[in-house]
Amino acid sequence: MAKVFNVNGACRPSRHYMVDIRRKLEEIKTMVDAGDYFAINRARQYGKTTTLRALSGYLKEDYEVVSLDFQRMSSLSFESEQAFVAAFSDELLDFVEKFPAEVEERLKEFVDKTARINSLQALFRVLRLWCRESEKPIVLMIDEVDTATNNQVFLDFLAQLRAAYLDSDVNPAFQSVILAGVYDIRNLKQKIRLDAEHKVNSPWNIAARFQVDMSFSIEEISAMLTEYEADYHTGMDIEEMSGLIYGYTFGYPFLVSSLCKYMDEEIAGTEDYPDKSSAWTKQGFLEALKLLLNDNNMLFQSLTGKLADYPVLRSVLYELLFTGKRIPYVSQNQYIDVAAMFGFIKNENGMAVIANRIFETVLYNLFMSEEFATSRIYDAGEQEKNQFVVGGHLNVRRILEKFVEAFDDLYGDRDESFLEDAGRRYFMLFLKPIINGVGNSYVEAETRNHERMDLVIDYRGEQSVIEMKIWRGNAYHERGEEQLSSYLDHFHLKKGYMLSFNFNKKKEIGVKEIVLKDNKVLIEAVV
């Protein structure tokens, strides 16, 4: 059976194209060898389950590995301490092939509810006995712990693990405990007293920091594509393709696999891309990107759904995207921490930035779609859209000319603060109906600030760069031209575009052409 790219559930090496994660497993084993208890907290579909499965096999020569999944335990299992002990014991009996006789007998008593005492304390006495008699040190791994994180019984279970860890120099305990899920359970609060002046404490404050990078590097993506290429001989430029995939995903596992799956299964065999060789090209990649962005998959639903749950998070992301406001990455800030936990943002040189271009585009599309029905500038782009494509090519100069006209008609009398806050967003709203369904656009993260944003448009495999900037005088403007010229070199382009929002009341609005050094051409629009 031929291998495929997998985006549904855990990956299996015999069935799926995968990156080689041995280096990551080596790093995790180092923590296990040290006796660490820790949590693997990553966003949805980040490869947690795949990693745990691979880790189980990687550790089995040195350890007795017990890999459980709290999703297999129903909500009734967490209704009471007795129910949890019975369900947890049942899972152990189902997973572990052979127990010491006394341990097996006691666990069965918990399941059958015939034990004299059916409590967490009693369960952990049995687990200590197991750890004492086991031929190998025992590693306990529990996936999908989010299933139970709002439950007091689970908090009590964590407290028992914590107590066992602290007492491990005296009594036998698990060699390592690994909990996996989205939410950082170190932040869970447990009531120590039931009266009004209760104290709070973390039941998981013994956890070691988990700093293994679970994203895919360019080299790891390249190795996976090399395996694919050995099977299909497409002639793809593996280095270029790996760079494209990483450049848009920053190695987010689900996004990497999704793009590959689209090129392999949906792009190849179409009219424009009749075989795999034509699909695994830059143009085929951009088609796959378009399909992914139009897919309302569970990851995108999960991400955007969090915005309704966390209104302040929504405001933070909006500021990052549209105004270029620089927000320091302070992990102690609740909303920065939440945004990072869900995978929206990352820490880049001490500043919060959107995690990858695909999430950025999804968020742009979401925020702008909420304005489609009421936005007059979006309506203007919709009404004018048929004149901007000539012979299959996007006429970006014409787009700028019509935007200047529409913007001046609709908002020409607005003040400086309006231009700073809304100008660039309005251009993106104007552009959206013109390229929708055929092309995409994104803002380069390294150029996003309060004064400058470089918007890159991908349209039928052709790229155009538009620098959107706030006018700060001639000297600043000349530096902007130099920056754009350098950026055109990066994209191997000879023509670039600049959209300047000018507060000078004597400004001359319109579009003009400027010849830069090295015979590059700048089309500048001023509003």
Side-chain angles (χ1 to χ4, degrees), residues 198-223:
H198 70 269
K199 298 179 181 179
V200 295
N201 189 21
S202 169
W204 197 240
N205 59 8
I206 46 86
R209 288 183 60 82
F210 182 77
Q211 296 180 294
V212 177
D213 184 1
M214 291 176 63
S215 64
F216 297 161
S217 67
I218 292 180
E219 292 74 21
E220 288 169 331
I221 296 170
S222 177

Side-chain angles (χ1 to χ4, degrees), residues 75-361:
S75 59
L76 293 176
S77 301
F78 299 93
E79 283 194 343
S80 68
E81 187 172 327
Q82 292 73 25
F84 177 82
V85 170
F88 188 81
S89 299
D90 194 33
E91 287 298 307
L92 287 178
L93 288 166
D94 184 54
F95 184 88
V96 180
E97 292 184 1
K98 186 177 181 180
F99 281 105
E102 184 179 354
V103 172
E104 184 172 4
E105 180 182 353
R106 298 281 299 278
L107 290 174
K108 287 180 178 179
E109 289 176 354
F110 289 142
V111 174
D112 298 335
K113 298 182 173 59
T114 59
R116 186 172 61 87
I117 301 176
N118 194 340
S119 66
L120 282 169
Q121 291 94 323
L123 171 64
F124 272 80
R125 282 195 290 272
V126 174
L127 297 179
R128 282 199 297 273
L129 176 62
W130 181 26
C131 291
R132 179 183 297 116
E133 297 190 8
S134 175
E135 294 180 0
K136 296 180 180 179
I138 302 171
V139 175
L140 175 65
M141 302 191 302
I142 305 177
D143 199 6
E144 299 293 348
V145 292
D146 305 84
T147 304
T149 51
N150 290 325
N151 189 284
Q152 185 63 43
V153 174
F154 175 68
L155 297 180
D156 292 340
F157 173 70
L158 288 183
Q160 289 289 334
L161 286 174
R162 175 179 179 273
Y165 172 83
L166 295 174
D167 199 32
S168 60
D169 60 333
V170 178
N171 291 308
F174 295 120
Q175 167 72 17
S176 180
V177 175
I178 306 169
L179 308 180
V182 173
Y183 291 84
D184 187 347
I185 60 174
R186 291 180 305 168
N187 296 332
L188 292 175
K189 299 299 182 182
Q190 179 185 27
K191 289 186 178 181
I192 305 302
R193 296 167 58 191
L194 297 179
D195 57 88
E197 294 185 6
H198 70 269
K199 298 179 181 179
V200 295
N201 189 21
S202 169
W204 197 240
N205 59 8
I206 46 86
R209 288 183 60 82
F210 182 77
Q211 296 180 294
V212 177
D213 184 1
M214 291 176 63
S215 64
F216 297 161
S217 67
I218 292 180
E219 292 74 21
E220 288 169 331
I221 296 170
S222 177
M224 178 176 65
L225 295 184
T226 298
E227 181 186 1
Y228 176 88
E229 183 67 5
D231 288 341
Y232 290 102
H233 309 288
T234 70
M236 78 168 84
D237 185 330
I238 292 177
E239 182 178 356
E240 178 190 42
M241 188 58 60
S242 302
L244 282 170
I245 293 171
Y246 183 82
Y248 280 81
T249 66
F250 278 24
Y252 197 112
F254 173 81
L255 300 178
V256 171
S257 296
S258 293
L259 288 169
C260 292
K261 191 174 184 68
Y262 275 121
M263 282 184 281
D264 178 51
E265 298 181 14
E266 298 198 32
I267 301 301
T270 61
E271 182 178 351
D272 291 334
Y273 304 92
D275 52 30
K276 292 185 184 297
S277 295
S278 56
W280 286 91
T281 59
K282 181 178 181 180
Q283 291 72 25
F285 168 83
L286 293 175
E287 285 297 311
L289 177 64
K290 184 173 67 177
L291 291 178
L292 175 58
L293 290 171
N294 289 331
D295 179 21
N296 190 26
N297 57 63
M298 293 300 296
L299 174 60
F300 294 168
Q301 289 181 26
S302 175
L303 287 172
T304 55
K306 296 297 185 294
L307 301 181
D309 298 333
Y310 298 88
V312 177
L313 171 60
R314 178 189 180 89
S315 299
V316 168
L317 294 172
Y318 193 94
E319 290 286 339
L320 280 174
L321 288 169
F322 288 110
T323 70
K325 183 177 181 180
R326 292 176 60 80
I327 299 177
Y329 189 100
V330 180
S331 58
Q332 291 77 17
N333 180 292
Q334 177 186 359
Y335 294 102
I336 294 295
D337 188 46
V338 167
M341 181 173 66
F342 291 140
F344 282 115
I345 66 171
K346 62 180 180 178
N347 184 353
E348 189 171 278
N349 300 321
M351 304 304 294
V353 299
I354 305 299
N356 57 67
R357 289 178 183 173
I358 292 177
F359 285 177
E360 178 179 292
T361 305

